[in-house]
Each structure stands twice: as C-alpha cells, then as structure tokens.
Amino acid sequence: MRTQLLIIFSLFFVLSLLTTPWAGIARAGLVTDGAGRQVMVPADPRRVITFAPNLAEIVYLLGEEQRLAGTTTFSDYPPAARELPRVGSYVRPDLEKIVALRPDLCLASQDGNPRHVVDRLAAMGIAVYVVNPQSLSGIMTAVKQIGTLLHADKRAAELVAAMRQRIEAVARQVAARSDRPLVFFQIDEAPMISAGTNTFIHELITLAGGRNAAAGPVAYPRYDWEKILALDPEIVIISSMAGGRTKEELLAGWRRWPQLAAVRNNRLHVVDADLFDRATPRLVDGLEHLAGIIQSGQESAGAQ
Amino acid sequence: MHNSFFSLTTRLLALCGLLLLIMALCGLLALAWGSSSGISLAKISETLQTLFCAKARDSVAAAIVWQVRLPRVVLAAVVGATLALGGLVFQALLRNPLAEPYILGVSGGSAIGAIIGILLGLSPFPGVTATAFVGSMTVLVLVLLLAAGVSARSAVSRDTLLLGGVMMNAFCGAVIMFLISVSQTAQVHHILFWLMGDFSVFSVEQLPVLLAVLPCFLIIFLMARPLNLLLLGRETAASLGTEVKRVSVLLLATTTLMVSIVVSQSGLVGFVGLVIPHIFRTLLGPDHRLLIPASILGGGSYMILCDLLARTLPAGGEMPVGIVTALVGAPLFIYLLWRSRR
C-alpha cells in the first residue's frame, strides 16, 4: 500500500515538473497578453502578421523573420521588411487581407491599432497577441513576450541585456555631470508639436540628462513661438519628419529667432525621427545620440 | 407616364422583381470580389458554393465571404436604401429638388455626437453609435422647436424647416472644426474616417439595430398616396382629403429616425439621398408608389457597388465609401441636370 502511494506521489511530482512554466511556454496554450487579454497562442507560429512597423522590426531583430507572413504599410526597417505583403496601415488594418493570408498569430499594438479589428479577428478564431510598450522597460517586456511566442527566448534575453547595458552606460555618463539643460523636442511644424510626459521622447530626454521643456499631462501639446520664447530652451532637437520639410528649412525656421539661447549658441540639432518614435530597441540608439548632443556642450548644428 | 395597359400592381411587381435581381447580382459581385483577391468567373462560382453549400470548400474563403464581406454588403444595402428613401421623402415633403436626408441637421448633429464619442474613447458600437444618434436627434428636435416657434400655424412649414436645418448644419460644422482642432492626431484619423463614411467598422452584432429601419420602409410605403398628393401643394392635398399635418409629422418622424439610425452606424455618406431619387424619377415618373420601392432597392444596389469600388479600387488600402459616392454622385447629378434642361 505504501509503495503504491509512493509511486503515485512520484508520478504526480514528475508530472508537475513537466507542467511548470520553463518546460511549457513553447507549447500552445492560453496566455495573457500585454493588454490583459486571454489569447490561445499556437505552439509554433509559422504565419505571423504584425500590425505595426515596430513589431515587424522586433521580429527581425529576434532573427525570426521567416515566420512573418505579412505586415502593415510603413514597415520599412530593416529594408527587407519592405518585401512583405501589406495588410493595410496600422490605423486601418484591412480585415479581409489579414484573413486571406491565413495567419496563425497576429501581433498588435495597443497604442494605434483599432480595438474593433482585434476583436473581430479574435471572434473569428484568429489569435491576436497585443503588446503595450509605453516605456523602455515596456519595450524590453514586449521583446521578451514576442521572443517567447516565437521560440527566440535566448535572442530576446540577449537583446534586452544589451539594451540594459547601454542604458546604464548613459546613466553613468549623466550621473557624472551636474547640469540638466532645458531641451525642446520638435515633432511637427505648423502647428508646432512637442512631446509631453507620457511619451518615449520624454523618457529619452530625461535619461540622457536633459529636462523636457514640454513636460506635462498632454501627450503631444501644441506650441506657438510666444510660448517657446518664454521657455527659452537651451537645446532644440528637431525630428526629421517635422512637417515634411528639408533639414535646411527646419533649421531656418528656428534661426529667425536669434533671441533664443539655442539659436545664439547654435544648439539646434536635426535627428532621425525613427530613432525616437518607434517602440523598438533602436530607441536606445536615439538615447545615446541624444546623450551625446546634450553632454557635448557647444556643438555645431545639424548633427545627424 | 400613366400607362393604362398594365395595372399598377403589375408594374410594381415587375419593377421590384427586376430591381431585386439587380440587387442580388450586385450583392454576389460584392461578395466575390474584395481587397484580398481579384474577380473572375471562378471566384463567382466559388462564392456561390460558399454561400449555398453546407460544407464550405475552403474555410478561409468562407470566413472572408461570410464574416468579412457579408456584413458590409448588408450594411451597404440598408444604408443605401435608407438614404435614397430619405432623400425621396424629403424632396416630396419639402417640395425641393435639392433636399436630401441630411438637410434638417442630421449630418451636423450626428457628426458632433460621433466626434464626442470618439474623443471620449468609446468603442464604435454601442458607444460612438449611441452618441451619434443622440446628437442627431437633439439637433432635429432643436430644428423642429425653432420651426414651431417661428411659424404659428404649423411646425412643419417647409421654409422654416429648411432654413433652420441649413443653419443648424452650418453651426454644427463650426463646432466640428473646433473639436477637430483640439484633437490629438490619432483621434483625428478616426474622426475623419467617420465623417467620410466608413463601413469597415460594422460587425454582425450591430445588425438588429440596423434592421430597425425596415419597419420604417413599410410605414413610408403605406403613405405613398399621401406623398403623391403632397406634391400638389398643401392646400390642394388638404382639399383632396389628406390630413396634411398628421401625414407630414409621421413622415418626418419616421424618416429622420431611420436616417439617424443608419448614419450613427455608417458615418456620413453623401450624394446617395440626392441623386438616386432623381434618377428614378426620370425613369419612372413621379408616382411614389413606384418610386419608394425603386429608391429602396436601387439605392441599396448603388451603395453595394460604391462600397465594392471603395474596397477594391485603391491599391494602398480601402478608401472611405463617402468619397466614392461623392466622386460618382456629383457628376451623375450634373449630368441629370444637364439632360433635364433640354
């Protein structure tokens, strides 16, 4: 009797080991995604559709691009992503094109993708995993989540570790200095738009050792020249996508105001927009670039 | 126009039969063609099989036909029918050939309601639909109160109604521009697509609400005779036994209700209510007993085709259907106008 009980208990013990997370994540099952939804994900997704450019980028970074079956327009990094079939834009994904590609897993972004498309696909039995990266640590979580879904846990861990290392390096640089210059980040022109507190840009400016002039509750507040003159930022960063203008036009717009400290000291910089608004590990490139600008003191305008 | 050889019933049945056939063909084309594949005879036969065979050949194709395209085709048919019928009724009621279903403020009111719903982050259904409906009914009530306050005799004096409606729409337009100016970029996208008419948001669970317009079609059809008489003028109609006030109020209420229901789900789709009644009036004459079913079925078919174009024409992704109806409807109207002057 006791031997039988012992055998039964051992069997239970072995079975419970087999069902613990580290042995079982790779198989199909019900998981909770970044938006708190319950999703039944396939064990080995082979036809993945991404609903945003940053998600496609993350899949390529994880080295799992062979699983991709389609993506939205504007997925242009890396350049190979341009060859993927398109399923509409990320604000208007085309339901029919998505269903026609027979995906076994869709990756969506809570910020931007319309909720009703996700709900319609889920109602049709297509697995949609929503990620919600709101900060650098959110991006690291999303990379790990996607890595788990696509059997790229090791690569995901490497990416996250590399990101952490570089962020910490910047933090050490910043800690060594005492000044925190006022930085104004221009996203768009006519109307002039900057980034408030709940944005990646704010986080990058703060980590890079600056103070965001547009910090506040509105995510993308509008500014006019009067407000900017009153703020008088020390450094001005201009996104290359602002209003579709050329670099010279953007800089010329600011140089009309020699009263501004940033103009007098020639601290106007145009930066690559993609390094600052896409929720991917490339944001760390943006962070390093920004840190370089802020901490370099006097630097000539137009650093790319 | 008065054809004594065939009775009205015969003509009505023939007309309905023909238009139903056309609508069925348009529906079939719209179910067989979409943004994921082109059109061919093989596709059409495949779609017929998917529709009528119990076990579908290919589950993905079946999902596309039944769950992606069919709701849209149904929505397009009902929206087109409602707007065309609404335009027909208003043109008769207000005795104005430029009347269209939005003329009494439905467009302005529902747009403000929808924008507020979008800005509050509500889901498309029931959230934004509900706010759009409330918005449109509110503005309509205001227009009616205004007309009632101005005209001592009857709340449905048509000049006051028209002017009040046009002014309310203009005021609402200003409010809409203000709301857009304070919106964040992502919301502006949603707002613009709603304002241009967007069928892509509709899902099957909204169907019961949409089908509430069907009884309205019947009510209006039963009032076809009084509508004919109203065209002769209030006094003439009254002297021929029509209870002008009662009929007008009932028609107004029914039409504005059904247009509000439809607009709150589909956004603002223009030119259907203006152009379709004129086309059928040119073809069939002014008898509303024929024009009402013609507008319903013809408007539905027209809308199905416009939605098909909106889905398949652009390579980069579908465009809002309101753009297609405007691009097609406006030249069509100009052509009708030019022809009528000869």
Side-chain angles (χ1 to χ4, degrees), chain B residues 88-105:
Chain B
L88 181 72
V89 170
F90 277 137
Q91 282 166 11
L93 208 54
L94 301 170
R95 271 175 290 130
N96 186 322
L98 278 180
E100 37 99 22
Y102 301 141
I103 207 169
L104 290 188

Side-chain angles (χ1 to χ4, degrees), chain B residues 61-92:
Chain B
I64 290 178
V65 167
W66 281 95
Q67 291 173 281
V68 179
R69 291 180 190 159
L70 189 59
R72 282 188 74 134
V73 170
V74 170
L75 177 70
V78 176
V79 170
T82 309
L83 292 178
L85 186 60
L88 181 72
V89 170
F90 277 137
Q91 282 166 11

Side-chain angles (χ1 to χ4, degrees), chain A residues 73 88 91-92 94-97 99-100 102 114 116 120 123-124 193 218-222, chain B residues 34-36 58 60 64 67-69 124 181 183-184 189 193 198 200-203 311 318:
Chain A
T73 52
V91 276
R92 268 171 82 88
D94 188 324
L95 199 64
E96 190 176 310
K97 285 194 179 138
V99 173
R102 303 160 194 257
H116 66 87
R120 288 280 292 275
M124 290 167 71
I193 296 183
V218 182
Y220 295 101
R222 292 199 180 97
Chain B
S35 56
S36 67
D58 180 345
V60 167
I64 290 178
Q67 291 173 281
V68 179
R69 291 180 190 159
S181 73
S183 311
Q184 300 270 286
H189 246 119
F193 281 121
D198 185 5
S200 69
V201 183
F202 183 74
S203 67
R311 281 187 283 130
E318 71 171 82

Side-chain angles (χ1 to χ4, degrees), chain A residues 18-276:
Chain A
L18 286 177
T19 55
T20 48
W22 50 260
I25 277 186
R27 62 160 199 271
L30 205 60
V31 298
T32 311
D33 70 6
R37 297 164 60 248
Q38 297 287 304
V39 190
M40 180 65 89
V41 295
D44 189 28
R46 289 269 148 211
R47 298 188 61 78
V48 179
I49 300 184
T50 55
F51 290 174
N54 65 314
L55 298 174
E57 200 176 307
I58 291 176
V59 173
Y60 272 90
L61 278 173
L62 290 170
E64 298 292 329
E65 63 267 24
Q66 75 279 7
R67 298 180 188 268
L68 284 175
T71 185
T72 50
T73 52
F74 302 124
S75 294
D76 57 5
Y77 189 90
R82 294 200 184 114
E83 308 302 315
L84 288 170
R86 294 333 210 191
V87 294
S89 73
Y90 92 111
V91 276
R92 268 171 82 88
D94 188 324
L95 199 64
E96 190 176 310
K97 285 194 179 138
I98 294 169
V99 173
L101 285 173
R102 303 160 194 257
D104 46 23
L105 178 67
C106 294
L107 296 175
S109 171
Q110 180 159 24
D111 177 38
N113 290 142
R115 178 69 197 245
H116 66 87
V117 172
V118 172
D119 291 339
R120 288 280 292 275
L121 288 168
M124 290 167 71
I126 297 176
V128 184
Y129 191 97
V130 178
V131 294
N132 190 15
Q134 298 283 341
S135 60
L136 282 170
S137 70
I139 293 174
M140 294 191 234
T141 310
V143 167
K144 280 192 279 196
Q145 285 170 330
I146 296 175
T148 309
L149 289 171
L150 303 184
H151 298 263
D153 300 77
K154 199 158 85 81
R155 181 89 188 101
E158 284 167 15
L159 276 172
V160 168
M163 278 176 75
R164 274 219 182 87
Q165 249 184 334
R166 291 162 70 191
I167 294 172
E168 276 160 20
V170 169
R172 279 196 298 273
Q173 269 184 313
V174 168
R177 294 171 63 102
S178 55
D179 62 322
R180 298 280 179 269
L182 193 64
V183 178
F184 183 85
F185 195 111
Q186 175 187 11
I187 297 175
D188 203 355
E189 205 202 31
M192 172 91 72
I193 296 183
S194 183
T197 308
N198 265 336
T199 58
F200 291 123
I201 289 171
H202 175 86
E203 193 184 0
L204 292 186
I205 292 177
T206 317
L207 281 174
R211 279 176 300 132
N212 183 8
V218 182
Y220 295 101
R222 292 199 180 97
Y223 279 80
D224 54 34
W225 287 109
E226 193 180 308
K227 278 198 207 140
I228 293 172
L229 284 166
L231 279 172
D232 201 15
E234 293 165 61
I235 303 175
V236 172
I237 316 277
I238 306 163
S239 158
S240 58
M241 264 178 53
R245 312 281 228 156
T246 65
K247 196 170 115 183
E248 288 69 31
E249 283 170 342
L250 292 169
L251 291 169
W254 283 89
R255 293 210 176 102
R256 287 181 291 138
W257 305 95
Q259 306 89 329
L260 289 171
V263 177
R264 278 197 318 269
N265 301 328
N266 218 357
R267 300 203 69 185
L268 305 169
H269 307 269
V270 179
V271 297
D272 180 4
D274 281 348
L275 295 181
F276 291 90

Side-chain angles (χ1 to χ4, degrees), chain B residues 101-112:
Chain B
Y102 301 141
I103 207 169
L104 290 188
V106 172
S107 56
S110 62
I112 292 181

